[in-house]
């Protein structure tokens, strides 16, 4: 990360806390020490509500052990705390209300340049395979920024790509850029 910073690369980081990977090396306390040390080198920070707490020690108001429904406003307050402490240029997270294993509400928010951008909220998304939704969100978001489309387009693209990944088999989509619509919404409708 230091070498990337030295050469002007944009550094993105997905907190992605996994208890099983940290339990033999100090658990949550050590994860927070390591991640807080790396955070000063990060430009684009990604993670869900549990990851921000477990990896950085930052609370999300309203988070409970079931992590079933978190309001966007609670994330915005958490993100404001995070950017006051760390030099992130972008912070993004998905918003998921897991109604059942196969029915989720799905959205995302992104903080960039002092403003929040929120993707279209997809109520009752029918989940085929939940694995890969967050990574697909991240790749769509990053693509949006790399394409120079701005934060709103990027968060819409990320949320759409995450939705596509969870509604098709496997942990990523097989959608090409040509199959996505060429409008500012970067919607989840595929042209075949």
């Amino acid at each position: 990360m230091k070498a990337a910073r030295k050469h002007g690369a944009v550094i993105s980081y997905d907190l992605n806390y996994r208890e099983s990977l940290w339990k033999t090396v100090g658990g949550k306390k050590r994860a927070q020490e390591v991640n807080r040390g790396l955070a000063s080198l990060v430009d684009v920070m990604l993670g869900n509500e549990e990851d921000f707490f477990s990896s950085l020690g930052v609370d999300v108001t309203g988070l409970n052990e079931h992590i079933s429904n978190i309001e966007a406003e609670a994330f915005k307050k958490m993100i404001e705390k995070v950017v006051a402490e760390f030099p992130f240029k972008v912070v993004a997270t998905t918003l998921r209300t897991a109604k059942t294993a196969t029915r989720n509400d799905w959205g995302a928010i992104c903080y960039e340049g002092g403003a929040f951008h929120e993707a279209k909220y997809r109520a009752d998304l029918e989940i085929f395979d939940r694995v890969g939704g967050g990574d697909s969100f991240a790749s769509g978001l990053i693509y949006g920024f790399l394409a120079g489309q701005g934060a709103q387009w990027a968060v819409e693209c990320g949320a759409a790509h995450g939705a596509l990944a969870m509604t098709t088999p496997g942990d990523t989509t097989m959608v090409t850029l040509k199959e996505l619509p060429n409008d500012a919404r970067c919607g989840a409708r595929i042209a075949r």
Side-chain angles (χ1 to χ4, degrees):
M1 290 172 89
K2 287 179 181 175
R5 166 90 49 223
K6 179 180 173 186
H7 293 284
V10 175
I11 300 167
S12 65
Y13 190 72
D14 188 345
L15 291 168
N16 207 2
Y17 178 79
R18 296 294 181 260
E19 185 177 359
S20 61
L21 299 176
W22 287 97
K23 67 181 175 185
T24 61
V25 293
K28 198 175 289 184
K29 182 180 180 201
R30 182 66 179 139
Q32 289 174 1
E33 290 170 5
V34 170
N35 284 294
R36 290 179 74 79
L38 294 172
S40 65
L41 300 171
V42 174
D43 298 305
V44 179
M45 182 59 82
L46 305 162
N48 67 28
E49 65 281 351
E50 185 178 10
D51 296 327
F52 274 94
F53 175 71
S54 297
S55 297
L56 289 179
V58 179
D59 280 327
V60 178
T61 303
L63 181 64
N64 63 30
E65 64 195 63
H66 304 292
I67 313 171
S68 59
N69 187 15
I70 306 294
E71 297 295 323
E73 291 305 314
F75 277 106
K76 289 177 182 179
K77 288 177 184 170
M78 183 268 310
I79 289 170
E80 288 170 346
K81 284 192 272 185
V82 167
V83 297
E85 185 174 353
F86 299 104
F88 306 141
K89 294 177 182 143
V90 174
V91 179
T93 187
T94 57
L95 303 172
R96 178 194 305 269
T97 300
K99 295 176 177 179
T100 69
T102 57
R103 287 254 179 234
N104 290 189
D105 293 344
W106 174 258
I109 60 172
C110 173
Y111 169 89
E112 188 262 345
F116 286 96
H117 305 274
E118 195 164 344
K120 172 187 167 189
Y121 203 65
R122 292 165 172 84
D124 288 321
L125 189 65
E126 190 169 343
I127 306 298
F128 184 84
D129 184 352
R130 184 172 161 165
V131 175
D135 290 339
S136 294
F137 164 73
S139 65
L141 178 89
I142 290 167
Y143 171 78
F145 279 112
L146 289 175
Q149 297 296 325
Q152 185 62 45
W153 196 90
V155 75
E156 294 286 0
C157 194
H161 193 235
L164 285 167
M166 293 183 300
T167 58
T168 57
D171 61 355
T172 190
T173 68
M174 297 310 227
V175 176
T176 67
L177 185 57
K178 288 180 183 179
E179 293 174 317
L180 288 174
N182 287 326
D183 61 24
R185 293 184 313 274
C186 193
R189 173 164 272 177
I190 302 172
R192 300 235 186 235

